[in-house]
Structures are given as structure tokens and as C-alpha cells.
Amino acid sequence: TLPKVKEIWDKAFCECKNLEIIDASHAEQIRTYAFYGCSSLKQISLPNVIGIGRYSFGGCSLFEQISLENMLSCIDIVSDGC
């Protein structure tokens, strides 16, 4: 679980190979390449996210589940190896 952050910035978790599950309940924005290359990431909960930047989940080859309840805008969320 991430602390009460509103934004996850560019490349914040880029190439974190051991990251498997993320609960970012308070985040509203996911920036460009935020989780790019997190090859072990399987599940992410983003219930309050309203925007996701380009290639945020690129290279997340084990991705199984994403929870997006309030999504308003999304650019290339599923790309480059997802």
C-alpha cells in the first residue's frame, strides 16, 4: 500500500523487478512510465485514478488484474509488452 499520495510521478517505480502488487487507493494521476518494466507486477488497485500517462505499464508482462473505477483519461496504458 502506498501512502496517501495524489500522484505517482514519471518513472517512480520504473524497472522495479520485484514489485508484484500495488494498492494506490489515494492516487489520482499516474504519470508517464510510472511502472514501466515492472516485470513481476501482477495486480494494481487504482480506485481513484482519473488519468494514466503514456506507457505507465509497459513491459508489465505478468499483469493479471487492474482496478480502475473512476478512470477519465488513459493514453497507451496497455502497450509495449503488457
Side-chain angles (χ1 to χ4, degrees), residues 5-58:
V5 295
K6 294 286 185 183
E7 293 185 51
I8 298 176
W9 285 98
D10 295 351
K11 300 181 181 179
F13 296 94
C14 186
E15 302 294 337
C16 289
K17 304 290 185 194
N18 294 320
L19 196 59
E20 293 183 12
I21 298 173
I22 289 283
D23 178 2
S25 299
H26 299 283
E28 295 176 356
Q29 294 286 335
I30 307 297
R31 299 293 179 192
T32 305
Y33 291 95
F35 295 96
Y36 186 90
C38 293
S39 55
S40 295
L41 188 61
K42 296 178 183 177
Q43 181 178 339
I44 190 162
S45 177
L46 304 167
N48 293 306
V49 165
I50 55 175
I52 295 180
R54 190 174 298 270
Y55 304 113
S56 292
F57 298 100

Side-chain angles (χ1 to χ4, degrees), residues 1 3-4 12-13 20 27 29 39 42 47 55-56 58 61 64-66 69-71 76-77 82:
T1 301
K4 295 181 181 182
F13 296 94
E20 293 183 12
Q29 294 286 335
S39 55
K42 296 178 183 177
Y55 304 113
S56 292
S61 55
E64 296 172 356
Q65 181 179 0
I66 187 167
E69 297 167 18
N70 296 312
M71 177 58 63
D76 296 335
I77 182 175
C82 286

